[in-house]
Amino acid sequence: MSHAQVIVVDVFIADSLVKKSEQESAMLQVSDAEAIIFNLVQPLDKKWDRELVTLLTAIDRILAIPVTSQLDFPHWDNSAMDGYAVRYEDVSGATKDCPTVLEVVEEIPAGVKPLRYIQSGQAARIFTGAVMPEGADTVVMQEQTQKQGDRVLILAAPKPQEFVRHRASFYQAGGQLLPPGITINPAEIAVLAAAQCREVTVYRRPRVAILSTGNELVAPDELLHPGQIVDSNQYALAALVAQIGSEPVPMGIVRDRPEQVKKAIAQAISVADVVLSSGGVSVGDYDYIDKNLEQLGATIHIRSVGIKPGKPLTVATFPKPKTQQSVLYFGLPGNPVSALVTFWRFVQPALRKLSGLANNWQPKFVLARTRYDLTSDGKRETYLWGQLHLVDGNYEFALASGSPSSGNLINLAQTNGLAVLPVGQTHIPAGEQVQVLQIN
């Protein structure tokens, strides 16, 4: 090797070391990075970022405005039991040895309007959900009665107003039936249907552009050549985005060429609320993401986080013309495991907050007993993937089988929890408690 070549190599190594040193010095703790990201997220605008959907398509959407109803719930006084509608004063002293005898003057099935006013000494045969007749204030369950022709024997005294569901006791017309910022689940669908809400106003789905960078990447349907790998990140991230109710916008593979990367980022920020790229955020010669973000006018808030796996993480914002919101950019690591871990830890809660959820968008951690020894080098907050199991009311964590390497995408299958080893902790023995991030 010539003297000139030695100098070039030395300069290259020195430059790489400087870049690595700069990244290490800018590395944020996980909690600090989380705070920055969550503060950057501004939920969708409840006035402009909403749409009207039919009740049958509202499942899993986020309610944008309060729902009220002009109906009382229950709509009228009704029976909570099959039995007899009576006047309490007539039956307050009834016993099995000295039953009260009442005349049955009417039968009231559910859905039928009562026709008779219940006088003293009278009763109406009534069924669950049926409207209470005027004059009656109590229901005696049929098990405490004995029918004899057009008479009924009351064999036990009920409590006053027993088994009567009073009008508006569940909800009074005009009040708030459902608050904004909640997910519409099947129970909420039932409430909306009962309130005769055939359409409901929800937040639109956030649009998330997804692109993968790397000369080595090929699509799943392409032939693999030596040195190439399949772009699994595009598909995994699109699935994760869709799973939490956002709209994925896959934008394909971008080669490691500065102008191509810059063009792809510019296109992505023009069509999306959030952009996810994977790869190109480390300190290598082919890592162009940060440089292109700066050239396009982004404000870079995070360049590196003390998390393992997933240290090279870029978070930036682009202003949106004529709005108070920004396009949020996540430059995720290219390593598939690192990309998923950083998504679960940072991106997923950010998207949930952006979507309009008022509560429960934050990461959820639970305490679990680990079935296996957990280890790390203690230098960064370490996340180990595996399965959470609920056993007799308590969580247990089983480490994924096989190599725990971040390069082992295969054993990530069936993961539903990430065990967390804090900075400075190198070992949690089997049988001890560990904090676990729930990811699904």
Side-chain angles (χ1 to χ4, degrees):
M1 182 181 293
S2 69
H3 179 67
Q5 288 174 317
V6 171
I7 292 175
V8 170
V9 170
D10 287 343
V11 169
F12 174 79
I13 293 173
D15 185 56
S16 297
L17 291 173
V18 168
K19 288 180 180 179
K20 184 174 181 180
S21 175
E22 289 174 349
Q23 189 184 59
E24 293 289 349
S25 64
M27 188 167 64
L28 295 172
Q29 295 302 312
V30 171
S31 58
D32 294 332
E34 176 188 73
I36 291 171
I37 292 168
F38 295 168
N39 286 333
L40 289 173
V41 179
Q42 296 300 316
L44 294 174
D45 189 282
K46 59 186 177 183
K47 181 177 180 180
W48 303 110
D49 294 319
R50 67 188 199 189
E51 58 190 14
L52 199 63
V53 298
T54 65
L55 191 56
L56 289 175
T57 60
I59 190 68
D60 291 333
R61 301 301 297 271
I62 310 299
L63 193 62
I65 62 174
V67 173
T68 60
S69 176
Q70 298 309 306
L71 297 173
D72 289 323
F73 288 86
H75 309 321
W76 44 73
D77 290 357
N78 70 90
S79 175
M81 190 70 66
D82 290 350
Y84 292 86
V86 300
R87 297 161 62 97
Y88 175 74
E89 61 188 34
D90 287 346
V91 298
S92 60
T95 65
K96 186 175 182 180
D97 293 332
C98 186
T100 298
V101 181
L102 302 173
E103 178 189 8
V104 180
V105 297
E106 185 176 17
E107 182 172 286
I108 312 171
V112 173
K113 182 179 179 180
L115 300 176
R116 299 289 296 271
Y117 184 97
I118 303 303
Q119 308 273 357
S120 180
Q122 295 180 336
R125 178 74 167 113
I126 197 166
F127 297 89
T128 303
V131 179
M132 287 290 291
E134 291 188 47
D137 57 16
T138 301
V139 172
V140 180
M141 62 190 298
Q142 65 184 21
E143 290 84 352
Q144 300 295 330
T145 66
Q146 183 178 330
K147 184 78 183 301
Q148 290 184 349
D150 62 353
R151 297 285 189 271
V152 62
L153 277 63
I154 308 300
L155 306 176
K159 297 176 182 178
Q161 303 184 52
E162 190 167 28
F163 299 125
V164 176
R165 295 184 290 221
H166 293 283
R167 178 175 180 170
S169 60
F170 302 159
Y171 168 83
Q172 189 169 10
Q176 181 173 276
L177 186 64
L178 293 175
I182 64 169
T183 301
I184 301 175
N185 292 311
E188 286 73 30
I189 293 288
V191 170
L192 291 164
Q196 297 185 313
C197 295
R198 293 178 296 173
E199 294 180 321
V200 62
T201 302
V202 299
Y203 285 104
R204 67 174 177 82
R205 297 185 189 276
R207 288 172 58 83
V208 182
I210 304 166
L211 53 95
S212 301
T213 67
N215 291 331
E216 74 281 13
L217 298 178
V218 297
D221 58 351
E222 292 183 69
L223 182 65
L224 272 178
H225 294 289
Q228 293 183 323
I229 59 173
V230 175
D231 175 23
S232 61
N233 287 351
Q234 187 90 197
Y235 294 84
L237 294 174
L240 287 166
V241 166
Q243 188 178 59
I244 58 175
S246 295
E247 179 186 348
V249 185
M251 303 192 71
I253 297 170
V254 182
R255 299 304 171 196
D256 287 326
R257 299 182 180 89
E259 287 307 312
Q260 286 191 22
V261 173
K262 184 176 181 180
K263 181 180 178 181
I265 293 174
Q267 183 182 358
I269 63 176
S270 71
V271 300
D273 303 291
V274 175
V275 179
L276 306 179
S277 67
S278 60
V281 290
S282 191
V283 294
D285 283 6
Y286 294 94
D287 294 322
Y288 301 120
I289 295 295
D290 286 12
K291 185 180 297 184
N292 279 298
L293 291 174
E294 291 171 340
Q295 291 175 359
L296 289 167
T299 300
I300 298 181
H301 305 273
I302 297 173
R303 296 178 187 269
S304 180
V305 179
I307 185 173
K308 183 178 182 180
K311 181 177 71 172
L313 173 68
T314 294
V315 180
T317 51
F318 290 90
K320 272 188 179 180
K322 302 179 182 179
T323 73
Q324 298 296 315
Q325 294 181 318
S326 300
V327 176
L328 188 58
Y329 189 101
F330 289 93
L332 306 179
N335 179 295
V337 174
S338 300
L340 267 64
V341 169
T342 49
F343 181 96
W344 284 320
R345 185 61 182 86
F346 301 114
V347 182
Q348 180 168 283
L351 286 178
R352 288 169 60 81
K353 181 181 180 183
L354 175 66
S355 70
L357 271 177
N359 300 294
N360 300 319
W361 53 263
Q362 298 90 342
K364 184 177 181 181
F365 293 88
V366 297
L367 274 177
R369 183 183 68 84
T370 177
R371 296 178 181 176
Y372 302 91
D373 284 354
L374 305 177
T375 60
S376 79
D377 61 13
K379 296 178 181 178
R380 287 178 276 158
E381 190 165 295
T382 300
Y383 289 71
L384 302 174
W385 49 99
Q387 294 83 44
L388 266 177
H389 302 277
L390 195 59
V391 180
D392 296 330
N394 298 304
Y395 283 109
E396 294 185 1
F397 177 77
L399 190 66
S401 59
S403 169
S405 164
S406 63
N408 185 4
L409 174 63
I410 302 305
N411 75 347
L412 202 64
Q414 301 299 303
T415 291
N416 66 353
L418 300 173
V420 185
L421 275 71
V423 175
Q425 186 163 14
T426 59
H427 180 224
I428 297 179
E432 294 296 316
Q433 296 285 314
V434 61
Q435 266 207 331
V436 180
L437 172 64
Q438 289 186 311
I439 60 175
N440 293 322

